[in-house]
Amino acid sequence: QETLPLGGGINWALGVDGPVDEDQLDDVLTAMGDTSFYVAVSPSADASLDGLLEARGLEPGWGWMLFERGPSPAPSVETSLRIVEVDAGARDAWAGVVATAYGLPDDALPWFAAIPEISAWHAFLALDGDEPAAAAAVWIEQDAAYFGMAGTVPEHRGKGGQGALFAARIERALAAGCTTLVTET
């Protein structure tokens, strides 16, 4: 099983494989400080997690929406951008686009740059000439694909980059035999 370094990471999974460690939960909530954030509770998480979160002042809400599509072909997308799969030479450019798009500090760059090296992740970059314009990735495991880490550099918005990146990721997922494709916003 492959893991990412924690430095710069922004998501934690608690209680998926068993009861929640309350000290670990408190450490995570302390690390979040006074920022606004959402906690996505997995359906497989221990049932006590909801109560633990509520006891710490968190409220149920709708911070994220999950979208699912079946295994139909990707729509055709018109763009002048060139879509490439990220290789070792493009990892840093891909990480730079993701961090810039999300307004994250340079400390996040090593974390994002490690993602294309993980076998389940497939990262794609949209280029305007040789300039990185947009980035996205898809996690493929068995028959499911998760579309995430998508972002566009502000000066390249409106060029069809995300549509083309979605199409490339859909085609990769279908080629891998995925029947369930999901993303969130």
Side-chain angles (χ1 to χ4, degrees):
Q1 181 176 9
E2 298 170 272
T3 60
L4 290 175
L6 289 177
I10 55 173
N11 296 310
W12 293 274
L14 301 172
V16 175
D17 295 325
V20 173
D21 178 324
E22 289 190 53
D23 290 335
Q24 186 182 27
L25 174 60
D26 291 335
D27 288 346
V28 169
L29 295 176
T30 299
M32 296 308 293
D34 292 332
T35 61
S36 294
F37 62 93
Y38 294 96
V39 177
V41 178
S42 169
S44 64
D46 183 272
S48 67
L49 181 56
D50 287 336
L52 294 172
L53 293 169
E54 288 177 17
R56 286 158 176 80
L58 280 80
E59 306 172 347
W62 294 102
W64 296 96
M65 290 292 297
L66 179 70
F67 296 91
E68 182 177 335
R69 83 185 305 274
S72 58
S76 176
V77 177
E78 295 290 325
T79 183
S80 61
L81 301 176
R82 181 170 49 98
I83 307 301
V84 298
E85 187 156 5
V86 175
D87 59 16
R91 288 181 319 122
D92 291 338
W94 183 85
V97 171
V98 175
T100 298
Y102 285 97
L104 297 172
D106 288 347
D107 291 347
L109 292 173
W111 190 84
F112 285 119
I115 289 169
E117 295 180 340
I118 298 171
S119 61
W121 280 109
H122 304 272
F124 294 86
L125 189 61
L127 300 168
D128 188 351
D130 290 330
E131 185 178 351
V138 59
W139 171 275
I140 296 174
E141 187 168 332
Q142 297 175 358
D143 66 345
Y146 163 73
F147 297 76
M149 287 181 252
T152 303
V153 176
E155 56 270 20
H156 291 288
R157 291 185 179 140
K159 296 181 179 180
Q162 287 304 317
L165 287 165
F166 251 120
R169 293 180 294 160
I170 290 168
E171 292 305 320
R172 170 52 60 87
L174 295 179
C178 293
T179 57
T180 301
L181 293 75
V182 298
T183 191
E184 88 289 329
T185 187

Coordinates of all heavy atoms in Angstrom, one line a residue, residues 144-179:
A144 N -14.0 1.2 -10.0 CA -14.4 2.6 -9.6 C -13.3 3.6 -10.0 O -12.1 3.3 -9.9 CB -14.7 2.7 -8.2
A145 N -13.7 4.8 -10.3 CA -12.8 5.9 -10.6 C -13.2 7.2 -9.8 O -14.4 7.5 -9.9 CB -12.7 6.2 -12.1
Y146 N -12.3 7.8 -9.2 CA -12.6 9.1 -8.5 C -11.8 10.2 -9.2 O -10.6 10.1 -9.4 CB -12.1 9.0 -7.0 CG -12.0 10.4 -6.4 CD1 -13.2 11.1 -6.1 CD2 -10.8 11.0 -6.2 CE1 -13.1 12.4 -5.5 CE2 -10.7 12.2 -5.6 CZ -11.8 12.9 -5.3 OH -11.7 14.2 -4.8
F147 N -12.5 11.2 -9.6 CA -12.0 12.4 -10.3 C -11.7 13.5 -9.3 O -12.6 13.9 -8.7 CB -12.9 12.8 -11.4 CG -13.2 11.8 -12.5 CD1 -14.0 10.7 -12.2 CD2 -12.5 11.9 -13.7 CE1 -14.2 9.8 -13.2 CE2 -12.8 11.0 -14.7 CZ -13.6 9.9 -14.4
G148 N -10.5 13.9 -9.2 CA -10.1 14.9 -8.2 C -9.0 15.8 -8.6 O -8.4 15.6 -9.7
M149 N -8.6 16.6 -7.7 CA -7.4 17.5 -7.8 C -7.4 18.3 -9.2 O -6.4 18.4 -9.8 CB -6.2 16.8 -7.6 CG -6.0 16.4 -6.2 SD -4.5 15.6 -5.9 CE -5.1 13.9 -5.6
A150 N -8.6 18.8 -9.5 CA -8.7 19.6 -10.8 C -8.6 21.1 -10.5 O -9.3 21.6 -9.6 CB -10.0 19.2 -11.5
G151 N -7.8 21.7 -11.3 CA -7.7 23.2 -11.2 C -7.1 23.8 -12.4 O -6.4 23.2 -13.2
T152 N -7.4 25.1 -12.6 CA -6.9 25.8 -13.7 C -6.2 27.1 -13.2 O -6.8 27.8 -12.3 CB -8.1 26.2 -14.7 OG1 -8.7 25.0 -15.1 CG2 -7.6 26.9 -15.9
V153 N -5.1 27.4 -13.8 CA -4.4 28.7 -13.5 C -5.3 29.8 -14.0 O -5.9 29.7 -15.1 CB -3.1 28.7 -14.2 CG1 -2.4 30.0 -14.0 CG2 -2.2 27.6 -13.8
P154 N -5.6 30.9 -13.2 CA -6.5 31.9 -13.5 C -6.5 32.5 -14.9 O -7.5 32.6 -15.6 CB -6.3 33.0 -12.5 CG -5.7 32.2 -11.3 CD -4.9 31.1 -11.9
E155 N -5.3 32.7 -15.4 CA -5.2 33.3 -16.8 C -5.5 32.4 -17.9 O -5.6 32.8 -19.1 CB -3.8 33.9 -17.0 CG -2.6 33.0 -16.8 CD -2.1 32.9 -15.4 OE1 -2.8 33.3 -14.4 OE2 -0.9 32.5 -15.2
H156 N -5.8 31.1 -17.6 CA -6.1 30.1 -18.6 C -7.6 29.6 -18.5 O -8.0 28.7 -19.2 CB -5.1 28.9 -18.6 CG -3.8 29.3 -19.1 ND1 -3.5 29.6 -20.4 CD2 -2.6 29.5 -18.4 CE1 -2.2 29.9 -20.5 NE2 -1.7 29.8 -19.3
R157 N -8.3 30.2 -17.6 CA -9.7 29.8 -17.5 C -10.5 30.2 -18.7 O -10.2 31.1 -19.4 CB -10.4 30.5 -16.3 CG -9.8 29.9 -15.0 CD -10.4 30.4 -13.7 NE -9.8 29.8 -12.6 CZ -9.5 30.4 -11.5 NH1 -9.8 31.7 -11.3 NH2 -8.9 29.8 -10.5
G158 N -11.5 29.4 -19.0 CA -12.4 29.6 -20.2 C -11.8 29.1 -21.5 O -12.4 29.4 -22.5
K159 N -10.8 28.3 -21.4 CA -10.2 27.7 -22.6 C -10.6 26.2 -22.8 O -10.1 25.6 -23.7 CB -8.7 27.8 -22.6 CG -8.2 29.3 -22.6 CD -6.7 29.3 -22.6 CE -6.2 30.8 -22.6 NZ -4.7 30.8 -22.5
G160 N -11.5 25.7 -22.0 CA -11.9 24.3 -22.2 C -11.0 23.3 -21.5 O -11.2 22.1 -21.8
G161 N -10.1 23.7 -20.7 CA -9.1 22.8 -20.1 C -9.8 21.8 -19.2 O -9.4 20.6 -19.3
Q162 N -10.7 22.2 -18.3 CA -11.3 21.2 -17.4 C -12.2 20.2 -18.2 O -12.2 19.0 -17.9 CB -12.0 21.9 -16.3 CG -11.1 22.5 -15.3 CD -10.1 21.5 -14.7 OE1 -10.4 20.3 -14.4 NE2 -8.8 21.9 -14.5
G163 N -12.9 20.7 -19.2 CA -13.7 19.7 -20.0 C -12.8 18.7 -20.7 O -13.1 17.5 -20.7
A164 N -11.7 19.2 -21.2 CA -10.8 18.2 -21.9 C -10.1 17.3 -20.9 O -9.9 16.1 -21.2 CB -9.8 19.0 -22.7
L165 N -9.8 17.8 -19.8 CA -9.2 16.9 -18.7 C -10.2 15.9 -18.2 O -9.9 14.7 -18.0 CB -8.7 17.8 -17.6 CG -7.4 18.5 -17.9 CD1 -7.1 19.6 -16.8 CD2 -6.2 17.6 -18.0
F166 N -11.5 16.3 -18.1 CA -12.5 15.3 -17.7 C -12.6 14.2 -18.8 O -12.6 13.1 -18.4 CB -13.9 16.0 -17.5 CG -14.3 16.1 -16.1 CD1 -14.6 17.3 -15.5 CD2 -14.5 14.9 -15.3 CE1 -15.0 17.4 -14.2 CE2 -14.9 15.0 -14.0 CZ -15.1 16.2 -13.4
A167 N -12.6 14.6 -20.0 CA -12.7 13.7 -21.1 C -11.6 12.7 -21.1 O -11.7 11.5 -21.2 CB -12.8 14.4 -22.5
A168 N -10.3 13.2 -20.9 CA -9.2 12.3 -20.9 C -9.2 11.3 -19.7 O -8.9 10.2 -19.8 CB -7.9 13.2 -20.8
R169 N -9.7 11.8 -18.5 CA -9.8 11.0 -17.4 C -10.9 9.9 -17.5 O -10.8 8.8 -17.1 CB -10.0 11.8 -16.1 CG -8.7 12.6 -15.8 CD -8.9 13.5 -14.6 NE -9.9 14.5 -14.8 CZ -10.5 15.2 -13.8 NH1 -10.3 14.9 -12.5 NH2 -11.4 16.1 -14.0
I170 N -12.0 10.3 -18.1 CA -13.1 9.4 -18.4 C -12.6 8.3 -19.3 O -12.8 7.1 -19.0 CB -14.4 10.1 -19.0 CG1 -15.0 11.0 -17.9 CG2 -15.3 9.1 -19.5 CD1 -16.1 11.9 -18.5
E171 N -11.9 8.6 -20.3 CA -11.4 7.6 -21.3 C -10.4 6.7 -20.6 O -10.4 5.5 -20.8 CB -10.8 8.3 -22.5 CG -11.9 9.0 -23.4 CD -13.0 8.1 -23.8 OE1 -12.8 6.9 -24.1 OE2 -14.2 8.5 -23.8
R172 N -9.6 7.2 -19.7 CA -8.6 6.4 -19.0 C -9.4 5.4 -18.1 O -9.1 4.2 -18.0 CB -7.7 7.3 -18.2 CG -6.8 6.5 -17.2 CD -6.0 5.4 -17.8 NE -5.1 5.8 -18.9 CZ -3.9 6.3 -18.7 NH1 -3.4 6.3 -17.6 NH2 -3.2 6.6 -19.8
A173 N -10.4 5.9 -17.4 CA -11.2 5.1 -16.5 C -11.9 4.0 -17.2 O -11.9 2.8 -16.8 CB -12.2 5.9 -15.7
L174 N -12.5 4.3 -18.4 CA -13.2 3.3 -19.2 C -12.2 2.3 -19.7 O -12.6 1.1 -19.7 CB -14.0 4.0 -20.3 CG -15.1 4.9 -19.9 CD1 -15.7 5.5 -21.1 CD2 -16.1 4.2 -19.0
A175 N -11.1 2.7 -20.1 CA -10.0 1.7 -20.6 C -9.6 0.8 -19.5 O -9.2 -0.4 -19.8 CB -8.8 2.5 -21.2
A176 N -9.7 1.2 -18.2 CA -9.3 0.4 -17.1 C -10.5 -0.5 -16.7 O -10.3 -1.3 -15.7 CB -8.8 1.3 -15.9
G177 N -11.6 -0.4 -17.3 CA -12.8 -1.2 -17.0 C -13.7 -0.6 -15.9 O -14.5 -1.4 -15.3
C178 N -13.6 0.6 -15.6 CA -14.4 1.3 -14.5 C -15.8 1.4 -15.0 O -16.1 1.7 -16.1 CB -13.9 2.6 -14.2 SG -12.2 2.6 -13.4
T179 N -16.8 1.1 -14.0 CA -18.2 1.2 -14.3 C -18.8 2.3 -13.4 O -19.9 2.7 -13.7 CB -18.9 -0.1 -14.1 OG1 -18.6 -0.6 -12.8 CG2 -18.4 -1.2 -15.1

